[in-house]
Structures are given as structure tokens and as C-alpha cells.
Amino acid sequence: MKNHSPEAIYTIGVYGYGEAAFFAALQAHGIDLFVDIRRRRGMRGARYKFVNSSYLRAKLASLGIDYAHLLELAPTPRIRSLQDLVDQQQRLQRRSDRQDLCKEYVHEYKRDILRVYKRKPERKFVAKDALIRARQLADIPDAQPVLRPALFCVEGEPRACHRSLAAAEIAKQLGVEVKHIVAS
């Protein structure tokens, strides 16, 4: 694979968007690779049905945006349960009300998913390898650059979602900035 480093790492969530505005935001930012980092790729209810996997993939394809599902960046059920407990303690009615991730979740996600605390380099998360896997999953030819990948999960507030942690680590390793696309 040629060394096509992205210009930046983008993130986007769906909460707060309608269908048209969501896809318009991706196009406005020139997203060329949509990286779904959810464990479950479905949404309940009609409001956000446009990000259910099969519809989402078809819509992205019609817009010329490649799609990859990187399950390795999704939090485990155990890690999610840490945040669920804090959300319950804070009496949040909906996940969309969350503004930040709890410190236990952040620590465990960094330790178990991004493996930033590992001493052996061969066991650490390698951003370049993750992007190579995403390219392969999306069937992107080696010669085609990916300049604006976007990490996707559902939360509207980036600080309330693991995508901000993954994006920060990828950006740090690649020497690029993180740009969060948020609903206005």
C-alpha cells in the first residue's frame, strides 16, 4: 500500500441529525471513508433508522463514500457497562444526555482497546494498521488515497463517545488533527 496519510481524522455521531443533514455534513466535509466503530450496527426506532447498517452502506455508496466496520475499535460489553452504571447514577434519561465519558470507561478503553499502556510495542494499537484494515474492508485500491476518514458512533457530543478516544490516538500516532463534525 502506498503511504497516503489522511489530512485529518474526523468523527461524527448521529444524535441531533436528521437524515438529510447527516449525509450533507459528510459531503460538506469531503469524507471519503466512513469507519463505523459501533459494536451493534442497528438503531431502534424510526428517527435514526438511516444509520442501520444496510441502509447506511447503500446510502454512502450512492454518495461515493466508502464504508468499513472496524469492530476492533468498539468497546466491549464490560467497558460499556462501566459507563452505563455511571449514567444510571447520574439519572440520565437517555444516552444522548451524556456530556462526558467517566474516567473508568476512558481508562479501560485505552487499556483494552487502544492498548496504550502496554509495554510491548507489538501489543499496542497501531493507527496505520487500523486504517489499512479499514481500507481493505472497504475494498479501496492501494493507489487511491483516503484523505478524510470519519469515525462514526451514535453520540452527538464527541466527548461522550469512544470515537473521540480512538480519533485522538489515531491522530496522535499519525501527526494529524482531529475534527469533530457536530449537528448545529
Side-chain angles (χ1 to χ4, degrees), residues 21-84:
F22 180 79
F23 292 110
L26 293 172
Q27 290 181 294
H29 288 87
I31 301 305
D32 51 6
L33 176 59
F34 187 93
V35 184
D36 192 338
I37 61 171
R38 299 176 290 174
R39 180 157 299 280
R40 294 174 295 202
R41 295 181 289 162
M43 297 283 292
R44 292 183 186 165
R47 184 171 183 187
Y48 296 114
K49 68 181 180 184
F50 61 92
V51 293
N52 286 333
S53 179
S54 57
Y55 183 89
L56 175 64
R57 292 173 70 170
K59 181 66 175 182
L60 291 169
S62 77
L63 299 173
I65 301 172
D66 291 305
Y67 172 92
H69 178 229
L70 273 187
L71 182 59
E72 68 193 60
L73 289 178
T76 63
R78 183 188 64 75
I79 293 172
R80 285 183 58 217
S81 72
L82 296 170
Q83 186 64 52
D84 291 343

Side-chain angles (χ1 to χ4, degrees), residues 105-122:
Y105 180 104
V106 171
H107 177 80
E108 296 294 308
Y109 185 84
K110 286 181 175 181
R111 186 190 76 191
D112 293 353
I113 306 300
L114 298 177
R115 303 183 306 274
V116 297
Y117 307 124
K118 300 288 183 194
R119 292 186 183 178
K120 296 181 178 180
E122 66 274 11

Side-chain angles (χ1 to χ4, degrees), residues 151-170:
L151 301 183
F152 169 71
C153 195
V154 297
E155 285 80 4
E157 172 56 52
R159 291 184 331 248
C161 182
H162 70 286
R163 73 178 185 272
S164 65
L165 303 174
E169 183 61 25
I170 292 169

Side-chain angles (χ1 to χ4, degrees), residues 13-25:
V14 71
Y15 290 160
Y17 278 108
E19 181 176 350
F22 180 79
F23 292 110

